[in-house]
Amino acid sequence: MDTLKNKFIETATPIAIETKELIKTKGNEQLGTYTVEDVYSGMKGMIGLITETSLLDSNEGIRFRGYSIPELRDNLQHFVEGGNEPMPEAIFYLMLMGKLPSNEDVQNLTNNWARRSIVPNHVFKVLDALPKTTHPMTQFTTAIMALQTESVFAAAYRSGINKKEYWDPTYEDVMNLIARLPRIAAYIYRRIYKNDQHIEPNPKLDWAGNFAHMLGYDSFEFSELMRLYLTIHSDHEGGNVSAHTTHLVGSALSDPYLAFAAAMNGLAGPLHGLANQEVIRWLESMCESLQTKRPTKEQIATYVKQTLSEGKVVPGYGHAVLRKTDPRFTSQMGFAKRHMPDDDMVNTVWNVYEVVPPILESLGKVKNPWPNVDAHSGVLLKHYGMVEEDFYTVLFGVSRALGVLASLCWDRVLGSPIERPKSVTTEWIKQKLGA
Ligand code: HAX
């Protein structure tokens, strides 16, 4: 270790221990409206943001403009011909407008995005300059940044725009960006995994159907999965890392490309969106180490305990807000029951669901032992042959654009101010408490 590094860890370790002790002994003391523990624990539960598109209840799960996931199934009845899954166009309309779309509204949105979907060539050139081994999420954010040359908001601000008009170029950027993301994501996928054999868009298809087509998956069932997937991953109120980042960066009047690229860097973290990739890695290494495709519940329990004893988290389990099984997990389970009830890996996910919660609960510190959205998504993709788990978070990112960018339009209409919470030092807290 270099000298500075050594000195740093020697200095920091006792302070980290002392800080933990401070939280333990003084955690309940008030610092204005909040307690010491609130301030140290990632602002969990603090009401400090306005997000109109969705609201999360700890026990019930997410509601999009008042509609829970099961209620969406009953109300978003805008299916492609022969289909039975909700369409991402419809959830975007609901989040942006606050009311359910008609079939015509959904069709108009499909057409609108198809018209806006052309990606300038320089974006592909930027991607081609990256090593193919670059993580797909890094390629995704790089491409979004390269696309920022097209920002209508940045151009309008530069030439001078009245703040009352900010919403207009923001809306244009939001719609253009959403329209172009599937093409970018599909390009990254085919570039890395399919030897650069790219597939032209089919403008006659819906947004998700066209995405599935460009990825190279033309089965009707896979495009139905994409419709469901892109709908349920779209929003989770405003405090999660990707939504909050979009709002925070956008609050500096950074344009939607800059704000969304920043958000995707947050989604790429293993405690957030990257968990979908980690779940598959974890499941596969469990099966490999046990030399079986269908481990028993006893074998799973042993493997879970081994994971915990190595100081690792069980990916796909736990949540900062939810305190029950994520309804997005249940919704994907429903899809699997309808389409692939005998799949080995899917059945393993269902067995893990029975085994993990009591083990996590027994640790006495995990606030939510139940599965989140990421615990199920990967095995559905694997079933249809999309085996490249490093790419899964990109799919999440394409979907997350719908919610966070609809919210950014609202931020502009509402004239949301720059975000600037107050921070203090541990020394300040100790002085305040006389500790
Ligand atoms: N496995 C093992 N330990 C876990 C755990 C899990 N799945 N979930 C929480 N814990 C631990 C925490 O690491 C923490 O331990 P320490 O006190 O030793 O640091 C303790 O339990 C308390 O944590 P918590 O208050 O219950 O959870 P947080 O709000 O701090 O964190 C996380 C929420 C989602 C980050 C956490 O549950 C986790 O790491 N889960 C696994 C990763 C994951 O699935 N992430 C995806 C979440 C959903 C999402 O955003 N999708 O995009």
Side-chain angles (χ1 to χ4, degrees), residues 44 267 270-273 275 308 312-320 328 360 363 365-368 372-374 396:
K44 311 255 174 56
L267 193 75
L271 297 189
H272 191 15
L308 295 170
K312 298 176 188 161
V313 295
V314 180
Y317 281 75
H319 201 272
R328 299 172 299 172
L360 288 182
L363 298 179
K365 64 172 184 179
V366 181
K367 296 200 188 68
N368 176 37
N372 58 56
V373 65
D374 299 313
F396 192 156

Side-chain angles (χ1 to χ4, degrees), residues 36 43 98 213 219 224 336 351 379 393 405:
V36 171
M43 300 194 274
H213 161 71
S219 85
E224 280 287 88
N351 284 334
V379 291
T393 313
L405 293 176

